[in-house]
Amino acid sequence: SGIQPTTPVTAPKPIPEPPLRQPYLDQWKALQAENQERTRKGLPPPSTGMACMPDGMPGMMQATFPMEILETAGQVTVIEEAFNQVRRIYLNEALPALDDAEPRFNGHSVGKWEGNTLVVTTIGVKEMARFRNVPHSAKMRVTERWRLVTDEMLENQVTVEDSEYLTAPWTWSWMYHRWPG
């Protein structure tokens, strides 16, 4: 028998507005309004994708395109079709010191199992890699909690913390459906 859901599987709630500090919140809202106006006019809003840059973390995990999650000894590897993004999560290792973490689009990720939940911490994300146009500092920390809720559904609860830009943790969930093969 496979994993049985402890609660019914429902679609996650929409990603909430980021709890940005001022003046970043006003700047972000102005950019959102500008992008909505561009979309209304049939023009694409600027994005890292338009510049042929990868989404980076946590954006690559929104799974706009198919992704594959591979678990091997000591590592979980996420491969996303878009821009051939590859993310390596090293299991049971220590994060590098923030000052030693050379900035990367996907940062530096380590994970550990807490029961049936994989807890992944990521630091060292390039500041130019912005999810939903939200600015962040070099001190941003992304914590994910991955768990199977059924044999075919994986939940990823994401929390972004950055005391320089955010007034509180920014949290949401994504659900991934396993495709046959």
Side-chain angles (χ1 to χ4, degrees):
S1 88
I3 296 171
Q4 299 300 314
T6 54
T7 57
V9 178
T10 58
K13 295 176 183 175
I15 297 173
E17 186 175 284
L20 282 163
R21 293 187 181 287
Q22 289 295 352
Y24 311 113
L25 181 59
D26 288 343
Q27 294 166 356
W28 180 80
K29 285 183 176 183
L31 180 59
Q32 296 304 100
E34 182 181 314
N35 287 344
Q36 287 175 351
E37 180 61 18
R38 288 182 61 86
T39 300
R40 188 189 66 72
K41 292 179 179 178
L43 300 170
S47 69
T48 54
M50 289 177 67
C52 296
M53 293 188 320
D55 293 321
M57 275 299 293
M60 83 164 280
M61 296 305 295
Q62 69 186 344
T64 303
F65 296 96
M67 64 182 189
E68 184 175 18
I69 300 172
L70 306 169
E71 184 178 359
T72 55
Q75 181 173 317
V76 173
T77 305
V78 179
I79 303 169
E80 186 171 350
E81 187 176 296
F83 304 108
N84 294 314
Q85 295 180 89
V86 176
R87 178 181 179 208
R88 291 173 183 84
I89 302 166
Y90 299 100
L91 300 176
N92 302 315
E93 290 190 13
L95 276 171
L98 197 54
D99 292 340
D100 295 335
E102 181 179 336
R104 301 177 183 167
F105 282 99
N106 296 331
H108 301 262
S109 298
V110 298
K112 64 181 178 182
W113 287 100
E114 293 180 0
N116 291 331
T117 300
L118 178 62
V119 179
V120 181
T121 304
T122 301
I123 62 166
V125 177
K126 287 187 177 203
E127 291 177 60
M128 67 189 324
R130 294 183 171 190
F131 176 63
R132 296 199 163 191
N133 296 312
V134 175
H136 67 87
S137 74
K139 296 177 184 175
M140 178 181 74
R141 176 180 295 262
V142 180
T143 303
E144 299 166 278
R145 299 182 66 80
W146 300 11
R147 70 181 184 93
L148 284 173
V149 292
T150 71
D151 284 335
E152 296 185 0
M153 296 298 294
L154 175 69
E155 178 186 49
N156 183 3
Q157 182 185 57
V158 182
T159 300
V160 176
E161 296 173 283
D162 186 347
S163 60
E164 189 172 323
Y165 283 89
L166 301 175
T167 61
W170 183 26
T171 300
W172 65 88
S173 292
W174 281 314
M175 296 292 285
Y176 310 116
H177 185 263
R178 183 189 317 241
W179 286 20

